[in-house]
Amino acid sequence: MNKICFVTGDYWKEVKGGAELQGYYLAREFIEHHWEVHYIHISEYNSGDYIDEGIQLHRIRKRSFLRKFGYYTFLDYFKLIKALKKINPDIVYQRGGFA
């Protein structure tokens, strides 16, 4: 079975936005075509893994730093690489400014 991993700032059911909705629709379509779908995203909530509608979600707690013009939020690079190595996807789909 082929694997795809979405790497985004947020997940559609936690934060509603255009990029999140498009990623969610694509993920649902890949599931319909019998792909294993993973989704790595920043979360306001605790980190951890769970499954939602066949999508295997991997939450990474956000990291924020105060910058000159406000807070800068991003995925923790080391946790992201660790998750990608664990998932070992055939395709990585990255979308958004946080990833």
Side-chain angles (χ1 to χ4, degrees):
M1 179 182 288
N2 292 325
K3 286 189 224 177
I4 185 168
C5 182
F6 291 80
V7 180
T8 64
D10 297 296
Y11 179 59
W12 167 248
K13 293 192 176 179
E14 289 186 14
V15 175
K16 308 282 192 232
E20 292 80 15
L21 181 59
Q22 289 172 7
Y24 175 74
Y25 284 158
L26 284 170
R28 297 294 312 143
E29 197 62 32
F30 275 102
I31 288 171
E32 290 291 320
H33 289 88
H34 308 290
W35 282 60
E36 185 177 320
V37 177
H38 295 263
Y39 211 104
I40 299 173
H41 67 100
I42 294 174
S43 179
E44 294 282 335
Y45 311 102
N46 293 330
S47 60
D49 301 342
Y50 65 104
I51 297 174
D52 180 49
E53 297 183 37
I55 302 169
Q56 298 180 46
L57 294 144
H58 308 274
R59 292 185 286 194
I60 296 177
R61 190 131 170 103
K62 73 177 185 175
R63 297 186 64 110
S64 298
F65 292 96
L66 183 59
R67 302 282 295 217
K68 184 175 182 178
F69 299 106
Y71 282 95
Y72 177 71
T73 303
F74 61 94
L75 284 170
D76 184 309
Y77 172 78
F78 297 106
K79 288 181 183 176
L80 173 62
I81 295 302
K82 183 178 177 181
L84 284 172
K85 284 182 180 181
K86 178 181 168 186
I87 296 165
N88 191 25
D90 298 306
I91 297 172
V92 175
Y93 176 87
Q94 185 273 322
R95 174 83 191 265
F98 292 117

